Amino acid sequence: MAEAKAEHSAERHRVEQDSEAEPAIAWNAGNYAPLPGIPDEMVDAEGKVRPVWQPFVNALSGMTTDELAERFSRADRYLRDAGVFYRAYDGQDDTRAWPFSHIPVIIDDDEWQELAEGLKQRADLLEAMMADFYGDNRLVAEGFIPPALVASNSEFLRPLVGVTPAGGNYLHFISFEVGRGPEGKWWVLSDRAQAPSGAGFALENRVAASRAFSGIYGDMHVRRVASFFGAFRDALQSSTYGGEGRFGVLTPGPANETYYEHAYIARYLGISLLEGEDLIVVNDRLMVRTVAGPMPVSVLWRRLDADFTDPLELNQHSRIGTPGMVSAIRAGNLTMVNALGSGIVETRALLAFLPALSRRLLNEDLKIPSIATWWCGQENERAHVAANLDQMLIGPAYSRQPFFDDSGLSFSGKRLGERGPGAVNRWLEKRGPWLVGQEAVKLSTAPAFINGKLEPHPFSLRVFAARTNDGWKLMPGGFARIGSSDDVAAIAMQAGGRAADVWVVSKTPVATPTLLTRESRVPRNHPANLPSRAADNLFWLGRYIERAEGNLRILRAWHGRFAEVDDRGQALLTRVEAYLDNAGLDLSEAALPKSLMRDIDSAVYSAGNIRDRFSPDGWLALNDLSKTASRFVDRVGPGDDAAHAITILLRKLAGFAGLVHENMYRSTGWRFLSIGRYLERGLHMTRLLGELSGEDAPDGAFDILLEIGDNVMTHRRHYNVNTDRLTITDLLALDPQNPRSVLFQLNQMLAEVEKLPSQDHMTQMSPLHRETMRVQSGLAVMTANSISIDYYATLERDFEALSDCLAQSYL
């Protein structure tokens, strides 16, 4: 024991020596003056660590590379388990893991408050501009804005001119892309008012960073972000009209780049995630199609571009909008967050006119300047750009992106100058109204941990502002975009940039806010609020999962007999092969056919359409099932190998089903998911009994039915005879206590159908309720002797008819 203790002590001493010898972050001794290559954000003009960074630097200096790697992997594991992703449009249109940069950007609270005041002023300016563009249009009439920048702007939506928003405000949730130079001066690089993205990702960044730096995060008095979302949610609720309107998040759908964030925000705030097909306009009121009929919507937080919202009055090619949306807004029955047409204030060329507009509309100078911009549609400005090409980036005047987000469209003025002064002047004169010149700024650098060492990379901040009941409120932090190289254009996510959390650090302890209400009475949304599209996806999710399980059980039974089959058993295998072939599973192509993935992929797709209603654990389990099945399909041999692989998949399916059963709230959504499972399991067992329990059933058919139904032990306990058609029929078709029997499925379906909302409150039963009761009672009065193969065929058609009836009634 003494030797073991001595050895442990010596090993610990060696680890401590190694930790001191190889810290993750190396700093010079004494005053902690940094080594060369330390980012601008971490040091002052004298090269010393900024006080706000000092606690973090001290903590990192005491960590080994291995410890830091373990902390980083903790954050990555959280993001992976939560399923955080974005969509990359690189020709493959695939999803990518969220590119998290682990080291946060840290900002002193006093500096942040100064920045926040400037951005609040800018938010007021953008609001005043919107009111003028869609109101009196005095800014153009008085010469403050060239007419072309409004009249020729695709974001200027003429059907909205003269329409005052129901709540009186055009802008409710906006963001700003902010950068600063190495000397510390802040600029606004772009304004985002169309449908600003990133707030949900900022939340996930915060959770991941707090996991990586637990302890450090709490000790540094970092301002929390939950109060920002709570205040905005309260403002949304207070904007509803008539006391009946609901509010939701309007998303383009799962194919959108930031769909994960749409679902996350909806789930985080407890509001509905809606697509255009969920909505209809009736008598100038926007309604959501629910399983209880249309219900009014008063507020929509829009996450798609404005012209796609209404194919009737805006973009006739839109397939993701709702006809009549503009009429609901015009009638004052709908508040859109932000107002349709707000994308015009994002126009890059308008940055050149903001200083004058601020003095005209607010009677104040801009507190935070924009990046220096010159619109080439004016002679003097065009001449200035031509004379200073070496310091310019040239880009589209009507672009709504920062210069580094459309780097394929923007290009260096220095490169343009190589054409010669005459050619440049002619080109600028011809194309001037469609071009702007912007100062080629050098952005300050933030820390990024790359290949085991700290490196300085250019960064920008995305800061979010929400209109609350107390005025504009800024999220204390937002997130930083960190470039993948020294090139400023590499900041964009699509160009390989990464996202880091932003810590606004107070000198005193900060409150820990929560979204939970402190009222003694809380209003509840009625459970019938379930949109029909969500009900449809839940119903089919249940069906696909159950169908996959049923097919896997048949395949396992077949492979379990494959290795030991004799002449007598060949007839059974042939019959089962034919059954599987009819189900689209061709065993001649592989032991586990690729078509097996069809139902699993369909289940993932259905779940992906309702991410706001799906728990992260359930989503993770479903994707794990999909990945495991992909590894097995077409790679295992027949017989025992395939049977073993299927057993693993069935366990994962059981794990997913258990998560859903234990965690999902028993609301209307749960009922549609359950009805889908019961219907598919009942249909599956009915088809099997019709195929394998007739008089022409081959030897071993009854035994394989029991195995597929997982009822071998139950049959032995209940019947003191060998398996025959009567015992099989009694147990698998008529036993109300057997969770695999057909009658059990109908009983459970009837219990759930009875609780579904009826769209016609004057009738006693819905059509689905009536039909389910008819099918259930028809089977319940049968006996094992009276059930024939023909009856199974009729029962199969009844199950399919129940699915059609449910779709017609609710979906």
Side-chain angles (χ1 to χ4, degrees):
M1 179 66 71
E3 292 178 359
K5 287 184 177 179
E7 184 178 349
H8 175 75
S9 178
E11 178 62 26
R12 179 178 178 183
H13 179 66
R14 284 194 297 271
V15 170
E16 290 174 349
Q17 283 186 323
D18 290 343
S19 300
E20 293 172 1
E22 298 181 8
I25 307 297
W27 301 88
N28 289 335
N31 63 1
Y32 284 94
L35 296 172
I38 296 301
D40 303 327
E41 287 298 302
M42 300 181 76
V43 296
D44 59 21
E46 298 178 0
K48 295 182 178 180
V49 178
R50 297 180 191 271
V52 71
W53 278 91
Q54 194 71 65
F56 189 81
V57 167
N58 290 344
L60 258 62
S61 297
M63 296 180 192
T64 64
T65 302
D66 288 344
E67 181 183 355
L68 201 57
E70 194 280 328
R71 287 176 175 271
F72 291 169
S73 66
R74 195 184 307 164
D76 294 338
R77 185 165 55 248
Y78 165 76
L79 293 171
R80 184 173 60 252
D81 291 349
V84 185
F85 74 91
Y86 77 108
R87 190 174 296 278
Y89 299 124
D90 56 0
Q92 299 179 0
D93 193 31
D94 60 347
T95 57
R96 305 281 180 84
W98 182 242
F100 184 57
S101 184
H102 303 88
I103 305 294
V105 174
I106 303 176
I107 300 176
D108 182 79
D109 192 40
D110 292 338
E111 182 182 10
W112 178 262
Q113 294 306 323
E114 182 179 346
L115 178 63
E117 287 304 311
L119 296 180
K120 288 178 183 178
Q121 178 208 44
R122 195 178 185 93
D124 287 334
L125 174 59
L126 297 180
E127 172 70 28
M129 290 167 60
M130 280 291 297
D132 182 81
F133 291 153
Y134 291 97
D136 295 336
N137 207 9
R138 298 299 305 167
L139 296 176
V140 170
E142 295 173 5
F144 284 91
I145 296 178
L149 290 184
V150 177
S152 300
N153 199 319
S154 62
E155 296 299 328
F156 180 62
L157 304 182
R158 286 171 175 78
L160 277 303
V161 172
V163 178
T164 302
N169 295 306
Y170 292 84
L171 303 179
H172 310 83
F173 192 94
I174 55 183
S175 70
F176 306 96
E177 201 73 32
V178 181
R180 66 171 165 185
E183 75 286 353
K185 177 185 177 182
W186 290 105
W187 302 293
V188 175
L189 303 174
S190 69
D191 306 294
R192 312 296 292 155
Q194 173 75 278
S197 64
F201 291 123
L203 272 171
E204 291 287 42
N205 287 342
R206 174 57 54 89
V207 177
S210 63
R211 297 283 178 92
F213 298 108
S214 56
I216 305 173
Y217 173 77
D219 293 342
M220 286 187 63
H221 308 319
V222 180
R223 291 201 175 276
R224 308 307 201 258
V225 299
S227 61
F228 171 81
F229 289 96
F232 184 52
R233 182 186 63 182
D234 293 344
L236 289 175
Q237 290 175 325
S238 67
S239 297
T240 54
Y241 301 100
E244 296 182 356
R246 290 155 177 79
F247 65 102
V249 175
L250 179 62
T251 176
N256 185 259
E257 176 186 8
T258 56
Y259 175 73
Y260 169 84
E261 184 199 14
H262 306 168
Y264 178 83
I265 285 289
R267 188 167 61 239
Y268 183 75
L269 296 181
I271 58 181
S272 296
L273 184 65
L274 304 172
E275 295 184 26
E277 66 180 88
D278 294 328
L279 303 166
I280 56 173
V281 175
V282 180
N283 297 327
D284 290 338
R285 283 197 64 89
L286 187 68
M287 315 288 280
V288 57
R289 307 173 197 262
T290 77
V291 294
M295 294 186 176
V297 178
S298 293
V299 180
L300 275 182
W301 185 358
R302 174 173 60 88
R303 301 306 302 272
L304 73 162
D305 286 356
D307 65 328
F308 285 100
T309 58
D310 188 345
L312 190 63
E313 296 200 49
L314 299 176
N315 184 347
Q316 63 178 337
H317 301 294
S318 172
R319 296 294 180 268
I320 56 177
T322 305
M325 187 89 76
V326 170
S327 68
I329 294 172
R330 192 180 289 121
N333 296 324
L334 175 65
T335 297
M336 189 69 80
V337 178
N338 290 319
L340 299 184
S342 54
I344 190 173
V345 299
E346 298 182 356
T347 305
R348 182 184 289 175
L350 287 178
L351 294 176
F353 302 92
L354 290 190
L357 293 178
S358 180
R359 291 188 289 270
R360 165 63 177 83
L361 296 172
L362 304 181
N363 199 28
E364 298 174 348
D365 289 329
L366 278 178
K367 296 178 181 178
I368 307 293
S370 307
I371 181 175
T373 304
W374 294 267
W375 180 51
C376 296
Q378 298 168 300
E379 184 176 354
N380 291 338
E381 284 71 13
R382 186 165 59 247
H384 177 83
V385 170
N388 295 275
L389 286 177
D390 287 353
Q391 291 81 42
M392 293 285 174
L393 287 172
I394 311 297
Y398 293 97
S399 173
R400 297 187 292 110
Q401 302 291 335
F403 61 89
F404 50 76
D405 268 347
D406 64 357
S407 53
L409 300 175
S410 298
F411 51 89
S412 166
K414 185 176 182 179
R415 182 161 59 89
L416 178 64
E418 295 173 358
R419 301 182 182 181
V424 169
N425 289 334
R426 288 192 296 273
W427 183 76
L428 286 177
E429 186 172 353
K430 180 180 179 181
R431 300 293 302 168
W434 291 274
L435 295 172
V436 293
Q438 289 189 307
E439 181 183 2
V441 299
K442 178 178 174 59
L443 293 178
S444 177
T445 56
F449 205 71
I450 308 294
N451 297 325
K453 62 179 182 178
L454 203 67
E455 294 183 359
H457 285 249
F459 82 101
S460 68
L461 293 185
R462 183 168 295 185
V463 184
F464 301 91
R467 187 184 296 279
T468 71
N469 295 330
D470 299 319
W472 288 108
K473 183 180 181 69
L474 265 69
M475 181 194 294
F479 73 86
R481 297 207 285 178
I482 310 292
S484 58
S485 68
D486 292 338
D487 185 1
V488 173
I491 286 179
M493 296 293 181
Q494 303 288 346
R498 305 181 70 82
D501 192 18
V502 177
W503 292 4
V504 177
V505 175
S506 172
K507 295 179 176 62
T508 58
V510 297
T512 306
T514 175
L515 287 185
L516 299 177
T517 179
R518 297 183 180 177
E519 300 293 332
S520 56
R521 298 181 63 186
V522 221
R524 277 197 176 199
N525 289 328
H526 194 275
N529 279 351
L530 182 71
S532 297
R533 179 186 55 83
D536 187 28
N537 280 288
L538 285 164
F539 172 71
W540 280 102
L541 172 62
R543 290 200 64 175
Y544 287 131
I545 284 296
E546 196 60 40
R547 189 177 298 174
E549 181 184 344
N551 287 334
L552 283 170
R553 288 185 175 279
I554 299 172
L555 282 168
R556 185 174 64 172
W558 187 92
H559 282 291
R561 288 161 174 75
F562 174 80
E564 303 174 359
V565 68
D566 53 22
D567 292 340
R568 293 178 58 192
Q570 186 60 51
L572 175 62
L573 291 188
T574 302
R575 179 75 69 90
V576 174
E577 284 178 33
Y579 180 90
L580 289 169
D581 188 59
N582 288 334
L585 297 170
D586 184 3
L587 283 171
S588 65
E589 70 174 23
L592 293 184
K594 291 181 180 179
S595 51
L596 178 65
M597 290 299 301
R598 177 188 56 214
D599 296 323
I600 296 176
D601 288 342
S602 295
V604 173
Y605 176 79
S606 294
N609 284 325
I610 45 172
R611 284 294 298 271
D612 59 314
R613 298 177 182 273
F614 216 66
S615 75
D617 286 340
W619 178 253
L620 183 65
L622 191 56
N623 276 277
D624 182 48
L625 168 69
S626 178
K627 291 176 182 177
T628 304
S630 296
R631 289 199 306 270
F632 287 155
V633 165
D634 210 19
R635 295 184 185 178
V636 297
D640 290 342
D641 286 347
H644 175 68
I646 292 170
T647 298
I648 293 174
L649 294 177
L650 286 172
R651 287 173 184 167
K652 290 183 179 292
L653 267 171
F656 170 75
L659 277 171
V660 171
H661 186 273
E662 293 298 323
N663 296 342
M664 193 169 178
Y665 189 77
R666 268 44 171 184
S667 61
T668 308
W670 158 263
R671 305 195 199 293
F672 278 94
L673 176 69
S674 299
I675 290 171
R677 294 195 66 189
Y678 296 138
L679 190 149
E680 189 65 35
R681 183 174 288 190
L683 184 59
H684 165 73
M685 186 54 68
T686 299
R687 286 172 174 165
L688 276 175
L689 288 168
E691 182 71 26
L692 297 175
S693 68
E695 294 181 358
D696 63 339
D699 287 346
F702 299 151
D703 292 331
I704 202 172
L705 278 171
L706 289 177
E707 181 180 336
I708 293 170
D710 200 16
N711 275 181
V712 174
M713 296 296 295
T714 303
H715 187 278
R716 290 173 184 170
R717 286 197 304 268
H718 281 57
Y719 308 98
N720 293 322
V721 295
N722 292 329
T723 54
D724 60 29
R725 191 185 68 81
L726 293 180
T727 60
I728 289 295
T729 304
D730 185 63
L731 182 61
L732 295 180
L734 297 174
D735 192 332
Q737 305 301 318
N738 180 9
R740 293 282 171 181
S741 79
V742 180
L743 183 59
F744 182 92
Q745 314 313 316
L746 285 169
N747 288 344
Q748 296 300 114
M749 275 186 65
L750 182 59
E752 298 298 345
V753 166
E754 287 175 345
K755 298 171 185 175
L756 290 180
S758 174
Q759 297 188 28
D760 184 357
H761 301 289
M762 301 303 292
T763 60
Q764 186 175 9
M765 287 186 183
S766 68
L768 178 63
H769 189 178
R770 188 180 302 112
E771 283 301 298
T772 306
M773 179 172 285
R774 181 189 65 79
V775 177
Q776 183 270 344
S777 59
L779 181 61
V781 298
M782 300 291 284
T783 64
N785 285 314
S786 61
I787 292 183
S788 65
I789 297 302
D790 291 339
Y791 179 79
Y792 285 129
T794 300
L795 189 58
E796 180 180 341
R797 289 193 294 271
D798 284 340
F799 271 113
E800 292 170 342
L802 286 177
S803 179
D804 294 339
C805 185
L806 181 143
Q808 292 169 5
S809 299
Y810 294 102
L811 310 180

